[in-house]
Amino acid sequence: MSVLSEVTASSRHYVDRLFDPDPQKVLQGVIDMKNAVIGNNKQKANLIVLGAVPRLLYLLQQETSSMELRTECAVVLGSLAMGTENNVKSLLDCHIIPALLQGLLSPELKFIEACLRCLRTIFTSPVTPEELLYTDATVIPHLMALLSRSRYTQEYICQIFSHCCKGPDHQTILFNHGAVQNIAHLLSSTSYKVRMQALKCFSVLAFENPQVSMTLVNVLVDGELLPQIFVKMLQRDKPIEMQLTSAKCLTYMCRAGAIQTDDNCIVLKTLPSLVRLCSKERLLEERVEGAETLAYLIETDVELQRIASITDHLIAMLSDYFKYPSSVSAITDIKRLDHDLKHAHELRQAAFKLYASLGANDEDIRKKIIETENMMDRIVNGLSESSIKVRLSAVRCLHSLSRSVQQLRTSFQDHAVWKPLMKVLQNAPDEVLVVASSTLCNLLLEFSPSKEPILESGAIELLCSLTQSENLALRVNGIWALMNMAFQAEQKIKADILQGLSTEQLFQLLSDSDVNVLMKTLGLLRNLLSTRPHIDQIMSTHGKQIMQAVTLILEGEHNIEVKEQTLCILANIADGTTAKELIMTNDDILQKIKYYMSHSNAKLQLAAMFCISNLIWNEEEGSQERQDKLRDIGIVDILHKLSQSSDPNLCDK
């Protein structure tokens, strides 16, 4: 007899008893099974293998089963679901969810509670698809109606909602079925668990949702507004879980525009509470969530970034996130230590995320962050960590700091940050690529010392490939970085860019439907076509295609900025020695310039004037012939008219 069959044989009698013709014996069998599986994962797995689940579900659904039996079946199924993820998968395969949801229609409260408890366990498992809650449209309204039945129905239903509310579609469904009104009064429940689950519901409902957030601001519970209740739940004497979740509610409402960023409940309550949660007295997961929530709160607001940076020495406090666990002796619980060592990377990614938000706008804060001990080394190490979350937040942090001209010239150079960054760009998921390529754009600005080595390490090829990406942000960043690279660059770099991009790809970008891509591509062309020898060289090889593209854009339905940038490119071409002939021999283009000289928009008039002044410059060979030709097509008359203009810029020109 194999070991497996021995093990299962000892469990078989439990399953056999479920088929006894005597209902009393079946009930006793289910009760014995319940006692056998509590805390025993092996026994749970055996019973599932032996087919207990379909039988338990059959008994649970049978109208002829006694209420007691049906309830005990729901309890055992709930216990089986408490085991491993594989157990939950087996239960789902047996269609347990529809059976339990059907059970909620019973009038019997004890049975309803047992079904809800089991549903709660299944829906909180990562292997259960949330959609299963929304498949039948009658389920959500029925759950809302059951909220008033008992404190257990309140706790379990709120827990199910907060786990199954993922994204705006789910938020809308719950909101439209009265979630806010039905759950709000639970915040004053006498049961801590109910209050806590209701609070969690509000945090997931409000996240990035202006409609829900604007509603929450005005909800009254026992004469008190919800934000005031959340602030009370932030107090230090409340459990940490409650402080953190109410801070999330206020943070999400603030980010959704329902609470102003300078409101006292944010500046004096939420922000300091979140900073407090980052201190090393707190547990690892509390510090992670505290830092991540704070990063989100201050992400787009300069004033909140400044306040946070000087609250409780936050910048220095975060450096402890990298020294974890600092002293092994401080953690006496070995299990806890083992858990924390496995999750220490989460602290690092949370710290990087918060540093990125803190340094997003203010130069002084960036300086403070970079001067924190070993900061640049930590970022460099973070860029090559195995955890994708750490890599992403390290790149975010680097991107935030790379907005500083001062740091680009000093710290970034001292630590050769570009090396690991180029490595990250070699093969990374899109979300990392987007931030890494944005950072590269900054490292390629003309005043950055990293520009040279980046070029030597094959950046052009990499960036040209980004411009072909399906992902819009990557196309924008690829072309933006090339634009920065071409600024005041030597001829060889410009030639390499043109070769790497190919004329075909350049025109693909010039006809991109996104205006950002178009503007950056025009910016690249303008940077390529600067300084005379370069202009003449490029126009001698690509002149025909470039003139074609310019014509198309000036004829197309484009905004003022796009047309202005295109006329500036023409002005650069007109500044070439041989290149200007491409304009002079193209009557179509000359007519377009003439048209824009009389345009109602002064910016476009001015840009067209630049073209003309470069064409008729007296000190250059052939200027007389050019002036004669322009006189013939009526451009000189327009110049006379413009010299009487009330716009001083046009008049001077």
Side-chain angles (χ1 to χ4, degrees):
M1 210 177 178
S2 72
V3 178
L4 179 69
S5 44
E6 265 181 51
V7 172
T8 48
S10 67
S11 309
R12 183 169 296 284
H13 70 282
Y14 286 115
V15 181
D16 292 343
R17 288 165 72 191
L18 300 180
F19 293 89
D20 197 292
D22 178 351
Q24 214 34 53
K25 284 187 178 162
V26 174
L27 175 63
Q28 196 49 53
V30 175
I31 292 170
D32 291 347
M33 187 186 278
K34 173 178 74 175
N35 295 330
V37 296
I38 290 173
N40 186 337
N41 274 351
K42 210 170 195 172
Q43 186 67 280
K44 289 176 188 180
N46 289 341
L47 291 171
I48 290 172
V49 170
L50 291 168
V53 177
R55 183 62 183 168
L56 287 166
L57 283 171
Y58 171 79
L59 295 169
L60 177 131
Q61 291 171 281
Q62 275 303 95
E63 293 296 327
T64 51
S65 300
S66 70
M67 239 338 133
E68 192 181 356
L69 174 59
R70 293 171 77 184
T71 305
E72 290 295 349
C73 286
V75 172
V76 175
L77 288 163
S79 194
L80 295 177
M82 288 277 207
T84 62
E85 289 182 2
N86 278 337
N87 292 6
V88 178
K89 282 181 188 163
S90 305
L91 293 171
L92 290 171
D93 291 341
C94 294
H95 306 292
I96 187 170
I97 290 182
L100 291 169
L101 291 172
Q102 190 62 33
L104 299 181
L105 298 172
S106 157
E108 199 59 48
L109 183 59
K110 279 275 166 279
F111 178 53
I112 291 174
E113 287 174 350
C115 288
L116 279 172
R117 192 180 307 116
C118 185
L119 281 165
R120 179 271 315 264
T121 306
I122 290 170
F123 274 121
T124 53
S125 163
V127 299
T128 309
E130 297 85 29
E131 283 309 322
L132 293 173
L133 184 67
Y134 304 94
T135 319
D136 176 345
T138 62
V139 170
I140 302 290
H142 186 61
L143 288 172
M144 293 291 177
L146 289 175
L147 274 171
S148 57
R149 293 293 298 273
S150 75
R151 76 184 187 87
Y152 294 112
T153 64
Q154 291 167 351
E155 179 192 333
Y156 304 146
I157 291 170
C158 284
Q159 206 171 348
I160 291 168
F161 285 163
S162 61
H163 269 273
C164 294
C165 183
K166 301 269 193 285
D169 293 350
H170 296 165
Q171 288 171 328
T172 304
I173 293 170
L174 293 173
F175 180 78
N176 289 344
H177 281 103
V180 174
Q181 296 71 18
N182 283 305
I183 297 170
H185 69 95
L186 304 182
L187 290 171
S188 58
S189 164
T190 51
S191 154
Y192 170 74
K193 283 182 173 173
V194 172
R195 290 201 303 279
M196 202 49 241
Q197 293 306 334
L199 194 56
K200 283 185 176 166
C201 261
F202 283 130
S203 78
V204 296
L205 284 168
F207 183 62
E208 292 186 345
N209 193 315
Q211 184 191 24
V212 174
S213 296
M214 294 291 190
T215 308
L216 291 181
V217 172
N218 301 311
V219 171
L220 281 167
V221 178
D222 297 342
E224 232 179 338
L225 285 167
L226 265 193
Q228 294 167 327
I229 294 174
F230 294 152
V231 167
K232 278 188 176 167
M233 291 177 157
L234 275 179
Q235 290 165 354
R236 288 170 192 242
D237 59 342
K238 296 286 184 285
I240 292 294
E241 177 190 32
M242 184 171 268
Q243 290 183 42
L244 183 56
T245 313
S246 48
K248 280 185 183 176
C249 290
L250 291 159
T251 293
Y252 299 161
M253 288 162 74
C254 176
R255 281 299 305 268
I259 300 175
Q260 296 299 309
T261 53
D262 58 359
D263 191 300
N264 280 349
C265 75
I266 298 297
V267 179
L268 303 178
K269 301 289 184 186
T270 310
L271 188 148
S273 300
L274 287 168
V275 173
R276 206 167 59 233
L277 289 168
C278 296
S279 72
K280 58 170 151 201
E281 286 70 53
R282 304 265 50 94
L283 290 174
L284 179 138
E285 42 274 29
E286 293 163 0
R287 293 167 78 186
V288 169
E289 283 200 67
E292 288 187 331
T293 308
L294 182 55
Y296 182 64
L297 174 66
I298 67 173
E299 190 179 13
T300 55
D301 191 273
V302 190
E303 198 42 45
L304 289 181
Q305 289 158 11
R306 289 194 184 124
I307 295 167
S309 73
I310 53 169
T311 303
D312 287 355
H313 308 288
L314 176 64
I315 292 175
M317 194 196 295
L318 284 178
S319 84
D320 286 335
Y321 277 46
F322 297 92
K323 309 172 193 165
Y324 193 83
S326 47
S327 64
V328 176
S329 56
I331 303 179
T332 46
D333 180 347
I334 290 297
K335 238 180 169 175
R336 180 84 221 172
L337 177 64
D338 183 51
H339 167 272
D340 285 4
L341 285 169
K342 285 192 186 115
H343 293 82
H345 68 276
E346 290 179 21
L347 274 176
R348 294 194 291 279
Q349 67 94 20
F352 282 138
K353 217 180 254 183
L354 183 44
Y355 276 138
S357 283
L358 284 163
N361 296 288
D362 188 292
E363 193 62 32
D364 292 338
I365 298 176
R366 288 187 199 122
K367 193 167 179 299
K368 268 192 209 163
I369 292 172
I370 285 178
E371 285 168 359
T372 308
E373 53 175 326
N374 307 330
M375 190 62 208
M376 292 311 283
D377 292 333
R378 282 172 180 158
I379 294 176
V380 169
N381 293 338
L383 292 174
S384 53
E385 278 208 36
S386 57
S387 156
I388 182 81
K389 279 177 95 174
V390 178
R391 287 210 302 279
L392 178 58
S393 44
V395 173
R396 282 213 172 110
C397 183
L398 189 62
H399 178 235
S400 190
L401 301 174
S402 73
R403 294 181 178 138
S404 159
V405 175
Q406 176 62 30
Q407 301 311 333
L408 284 174
R409 286 188 167 148
T410 53
S411 310
F412 276 51
Q413 196 49 24
D414 301 342
H415 292 266
V417 166
W418 62 270
K419 281 184 188 167
L421 185 67
M422 287 296 288
K423 206 170 162 195
V424 167
L425 281 158
Q426 298 310 324
N427 56 347
D430 277 5
E431 57 175 343
V432 176
L433 272 181
V434 169
V435 193
S437 53
S438 290
T439 312
L440 194 61
C441 289
N442 292 344
L443 292 182
L444 287 168
L445 292 164
E446 43 62 70
F447 50 72
S448 162
S450 310
K451 187 170 178 176
E452 290 303 313
I454 291 173
L455 281 167
E456 287 156 20
S457 68
I460 292 179
E461 195 184 339
L462 176 90
L463 294 169
C464 289
S465 69
L466 287 185
T467 67
Q468 298 176 23
S469 170
E470 292 290 307
N471 183 310
L472 172 61
L474 288 179
R475 285 205 305 284
V476 171
N477 287 349
I479 199 74
W480 193 340
L482 288 169
M483 179 184 97
N484 287 350
M485 194 184 271
F487 185 71
Q488 295 181 351
E490 57 198 60
Q491 174 67 34
K492 184 184 177 318
I493 293 171
K494 292 182 177 180
D496 288 350
I497 291 174
L498 274 169
Q499 194 184 344
L501 258 190
S502 82
T503 323
E504 202 181 330
Q505 178 57 12
L506 190 61
F507 290 104
Q508 194 70 44
L509 292 164
L510 286 170
S511 55
D512 199 286
S513 58
D514 184 80
V515 70
N516 274 328
V517 174
L518 179 53
M519 279 298 281
K520 296 289 176 278
T521 310
L522 291 169
L524 168 64
L525 258 182
R526 193 173 167 182
N527 287 350
L528 290 170
L529 294 166
S530 62
T531 74
R532 270 191 199 152
H534 298 180
I535 296 169
D536 291 335
Q537 168 63 37
I538 290 169
M539 291 307 287
S540 70
T541 52
H542 295 79
K544 190 171 160 228
Q545 297 97 322
I546 288 173
M547 294 305 283
Q548 222 175 337
V550 164
T551 310
L552 280 172
I553 291 171
L554 290 176
E555 283 174 356
E557 293 289 316
H558 294 290
N559 66 29
I560 299 289
E561 282 71 25
V562 167
K563 297 210 167 174
E564 181 190 15
Q565 187 78 301
T566 310
L567 288 167
C568 290
I569 290 170
L570 270 181
N572 283 14
I573 296 169
D575 195 33
T577 309
T578 54
K580 55 167 55 82
E581 283 313 307
L582 285 160
I583 297 178
M584 290 310 299
T585 54
N586 187 327
D587 289 345
D588 189 18
I589 284 282
L590 286 172
Q591 287 300 332
K592 286 188 169 49
I593 295 173
K594 178 183 168 185
Y595 164 76
Y596 284 108
M597 286 173 75
S598 310
H599 198 277
S600 58
N601 185 286
K603 277 184 176 176
L604 294 181
Q605 282 183 291
L606 201 55
M609 298 271 294
F610 271 115
C611 298
I612 299 300
S613 73
N614 282 348
L615 289 172
I616 60 177
W617 196 245
N618 275 330
E619 290 153 31
E620 288 170 14
E621 199 184 324
S623 62
Q624 193 52 55
E625 291 88 331
R626 288 193 292 278
Q627 289 174 14
D628 292 344
K629 178 158 186 183
L630 296 176
R631 186 175 288 109
D632 292 346
I633 60 172
I635 284 180
V636 175
D637 297 340
I638 300 173
L639 285 173
H640 281 305
K641 227 183 277 175
L642 289 173
S643 63
Q644 268 93 57
S645 164
S646 57
D647 185 325
N649 286 329
L650 288 174
C651 198
D652 294 349
K653 202 66 195 159

